[in-house]
Amino acid sequence: MEIIIKPDAKSGCVLFAKIIADLVKNKPNAVLGLATGDTMEPIYAELVRMHQEEGLDFSRVTSFNLDEYVGLGRSHNQSYRYYMEKHLFCNVNISTDRIHVPNGLATDIPAACQRYEEEIKAAGGIDLQLLGIGRIGHIGFNEPTSSLASRTRIKTLTEATIRDNAPHFENEKEVPIRVLTMGIGTILEARCCLILAFGVKKADAVASMVEGPITSMVTASALQLHPKTIVVLDEDAASKLQLRDYYRHVYNNKPAWQRYE
Ligand code: F6R
């Protein structure tokens, strides 16, 4: 894993968005794996700014979102499809037929999940998978004890995740308890994983992901097995990393050709 510690969330977001934009410029038909959540909102805002002010072109990009609530359709204002339309899809020139979000209203869920996996394969696989991390160390909605070989499927959310997501709903009872999510096996097949975390509330999860044992109790720790994962943190999210000075030293001494900025 490559750990990049930025002084604050703002500079972390600018770097994170730049890594995405550089890929889209170098490979206009890139396949992006997209995430939702509070952490990603400033990223999409920055990509929209780059599209509007600098002409960043999404017309040939294909996207696959990580997850969706079971029972919520695209018109529900808490569905992840709605989130994506609002924060990114409606504001850039991505083509609707290249957008993929798991179908939370699917009647045959196993078949829909299988089809999602096949669509990822047919698109040539994911070039860059964006990820946030939950306070319990999940990526996607791969809750603790998810198989590290799992594929896209239905999952039941933990109470902790339901509580974390509740502020977006009128009350906690409104939060769907089930989701469709790419599996850890699906995520690990992306050619590059790019994960972002800010704030002290993510510090324990980040430390477990980077420096803890690989365990299904912290599904993000499976990224230790991935050959190219970039982790972008602010100082608070990095505060519990034992080797944070070493990560800074590595980053500051990278040869120019390896740097992102
Ligand atoms: C969302 C997702 C989740 C979130 C994570 C962090 O698509 O897959 O893993 O990335 O729960 O959420 P925030 O950013 O709201 O703290």
Side-chain angles (χ1 to χ4, degrees), residues 35-40 66-67 80 131-134 138-141 202:
T36 56
D38 296 338
T39 314
M40 289 298 145
L66 277 168
D67 36 34
Y80 287 144
L131 296 164
I133 183 169
H138 68 206
I139 46 174
F141 279 122
K202 298 290 175 73

Side-chain angles (χ1 to χ4, degrees), residues 59-238:
S59 63
R60 293 174 59 203
V61 165
T62 297
S63 72
F64 288 91
N65 264 80
L66 277 168
D67 36 34
E68 180 59 284
Y69 288 113
V70 170
L72 302 194
R74 61 173 67 198
S75 59
H76 190 290
N77 67 6
Q78 290 310 324
S79 72
Y80 287 144
R81 176 66 191 231
Y82 187 98
Y83 169 109
M84 289 307 305
E85 296 288 344
K86 177 174 164 193
H87 293 291
L88 185 69
F89 299 154
C90 285
N91 307 315
V92 298
N93 63 337
I94 190 166
S95 157
T96 310
D97 57 355
R98 292 206 178 88
I99 292 171
H100 305 82
V101 180
N103 179 7
L105 298 180
T107 45
D108 185 342
I109 287 178
C113 292
Q114 172 70 29
R115 207 163 40 245
Y116 205 65
E117 291 279 333
E118 283 160 11
E119 283 169 341
I120 294 173
K121 231 175 241 143
I126 291 171
D127 290 304
L128 182 65
Q129 177 63 58
L130 314 190
L131 296 164
I133 183 169
R135 283 190 307 146
I136 54 170
H138 68 206
I139 46 174
F141 279 122
N142 294 286
E143 300 291 65
T145 72
S146 290
S147 159
L148 300 187
S150 50
R151 313 301 308 192
T152 303
R153 71 211 183 291
I154 191 167
K155 282 296 289 181
T156 303
L157 296 176
T158 57
E159 284 180 12
T161 299
I162 290 174
R163 264 197 312 276
D164 281 349
N165 292 1
H168 296 287
F169 291 79
E170 293 213 337
N171 62 62
E172 205 172 299
K173 288 202 177 66
E174 304 275 308
V175 185
I177 63 166
R178 277 180 287 272
V179 291
L180 304 182
T181 180
M182 281 187 203
I184 295 296
T186 321
I187 292 169
L188 291 180
E189 279 175 10
R191 285 184 267 283
C192 179
C193 289
L194 183 58
I195 183 160
L196 183 63
F198 298 131
V200 74
K201 70 177 184 183
K202 298 290 175 73
D204 283 316
V206 166
S208 302
M209 165 179 75
V210 176
E211 295 177 343
I214 298 172
T215 167
S216 65
M217 287 297 282
V218 179
T219 55
S221 66
L223 292 170
Q224 292 177 31
L225 294 168
H226 192 282
K228 190 163 170 50
T229 289
I230 305 165
V231 183
V232 180
L233 305 170
D234 68 352
E235 289 286 351
D236 285 342

